[in-house]
Amino acid sequence: IIHFIVLKFCKFKENIPIEQASDTLINRYLTKIWGTKLGRVNSNEAYTSRWVLAALSDFYGHLQARDMVRFIQYATQKSTGKATYDDRYLMPVDIRNAVAECSKEKLKEVKQEYGNLKETFDVLESLEQTKKVLPFYSKEIGITSLQEKEMTQVGFLQNIDGMCYIPEILRHGLNFRYKKGARPKVLSLLLKDN
């Protein structure tokens, strides 16, 4: 899907087929779409390519083409119109907002496609907003060890030292927020093997 995006939006013009292009070359083209970082190039912000791929993936690093296509759709259609940077088409605020929109759609699909997880998602969705905080203890919010295991097996939950995390691609749809300091931990979980 990344190759398609580069072909479609960046007009790939190299002497090799895009399927054989190196990651470095692909990233150079992707930078034209969303910039190098989610801010100025010299900022402390995350590298956009890594952040987008992590935010749209589950904890196994699986990324579905439909999520990437949806991301591009939302990032372009619901643009704020504020062109903060002239080195890219998509602005950081639009990128972050698009991930939130993708998450809502992803949650609907996951609930249909993983019938065995419906009850678990019902528990997560029905929580009081004050309890929708990452990371969480599964027992404190009413998730059984079997439900936790099932969610972990498909990459929708990760337990680190007893604390549970949900990937970004589902977090927004479930209306979870982060405890102070949790965001860097979640992103590091998503990016650790990439």
Side-chain angles (χ1 to χ4, degrees), residues 18-78:
I18 193 165
E19 297 81 19
Q20 296 174 4
S22 68
D23 287 345
T24 304
L25 183 59
I26 294 296
N27 277 331
R28 190 170 74 214
Y29 277 89
L30 288 174
T31 298
K32 294 177 184 179
I33 296 175
W34 51 45
T36 302
K37 290 188 172 185
L38 288 170
R40 290 185 180 85
V41 175
N42 59 353
S43 73
N44 289 330
E45 295 289 342
Y47 285 94
T48 312
S49 291
R50 293 187 76 211
W51 189 90
V52 167
L53 297 177
L56 296 178
S57 300
D58 62 26
F59 281 129
Y60 288 121
H62 299 145
L63 171 67
Q64 292 188 313
R66 63 185 172 192
D67 294 322
M68 183 58 86
V69 170
R70 203 171 10 232
F71 166 78
I72 295 293
Q73 174 191 355
Y74 286 128
T76 55
Q77 284 182 350
K78 296 188 177 187

Side-chain angles (χ1 to χ4, degrees), residues 52-178:
V52 167
L53 297 177
L56 296 178
S57 300
D58 62 26
F59 281 129
Y60 288 121
H62 299 145
L63 171 67
Q64 292 188 313
R66 63 185 172 192
D67 294 322
M68 183 58 86
V69 170
R70 203 171 10 232
F71 166 78
I72 295 293
Q73 174 191 355
Y74 286 128
T76 55
Q77 284 182 350
K78 296 188 177 187
S79 172
T80 60
K82 297 178 182 175
T84 311
Y85 307 101
D86 59 5
D87 64 338
R88 62 193 80 179
Y89 296 114
L90 302 179
M91 299 300 119
V93 67
D94 299 324
I95 290 170
R96 287 187 174 96
N97 290 342
V99 170
E101 291 296 320
C102 290
S103 179
K104 295 171 189 173
E105 295 297 318
K106 181 71 169 184
L107 182 60
K108 289 178 195 173
E109 293 170 352
V110 164
K111 286 169 58 177
Q112 291 175 355
E113 295 168 5
Y114 293 88
N116 62 319
L117 301 178
K118 184 186 181 320
E119 186 178 326
T120 308
F121 282 114
D122 288 345
V123 169
L124 294 171
E125 284 184 300
S126 66
L127 288 172
E128 295 176 24
Q129 195 59 46
T130 57
K131 292 185 176 183
K132 291 187 173 193
V133 179
L134 291 176
F136 59 82
Y137 292 103
S138 57
K139 290 182 181 176
E140 286 184 5
I141 64 168
I143 292 180
T144 67
S145 56
L146 175 61
Q147 289 172 318
E148 183 180 325
K149 181 180 177 183
E150 290 173 337
M151 291 280 283
T152 301
Q153 287 175 337
V154 293
F156 297 157
L157 189 134
Q158 190 159 15
N159 185 319
I160 305 291
D161 299 325
M163 301 295 292
C164 294
Y165 299 86
I166 298 171
E168 282 292 288
I169 191 63
L170 294 174
R171 180 185 73 81
H172 295 279
L174 291 167
N175 291 315
F176 272 74
R177 61 181 172 79
Y178 293 111

